[in-house]
Amino acid sequence: TWLQFDPRLRLEENTVDKPISDGGGSNYIISGEDTLCSNVPRTFLNKDNCILSTESTACGAIPPAENDIVLDQYNLLNIHNLTGRY
């Protein structure tokens, strides 16, 4: 095996104690979507340190909605009836 130096390679610390704040979303955007996000789902192993990112570049499992949803009483009741939550 061999290793070739590549100055474009930048390793970032992404640990339970020091997670990447946007899950790698900014790198995903900058690379033209050639990289992957670094975030993982919440599990029993990381639940105590798992945080929800509020950054606009945050990676997510579901793409953002293209339409705004007004959170009025009617829509909240429909969301509750459909999901059994909230």
Side-chain angles (χ1 to χ4, degrees), residues 32-68:
E33 302 180 2
D34 285 337
T35 61
L36 299 175
C37 291
S38 307
N39 53 354
V40 297
R42 179 178 290 192
T43 68
F44 70 96
L45 297 170
N46 66 8
K47 68 181 177 102
D48 295 332
N49 298 77
C50 197
I51 59 168
L52 178 64
S53 177
T54 57
E55 295 189 31
S56 61
T57 57
C59 288
I62 302 171
E66 294 183 15
N67 299 319
D68 292 333

Side-chain angles (χ1 to χ4, degrees), residues 18-30:
K18 189 177 175 188
I20 297 174
S21 61
D22 69 351
S26 58
N27 289 335
Y28 178 75
I29 293 167
I30 291 168

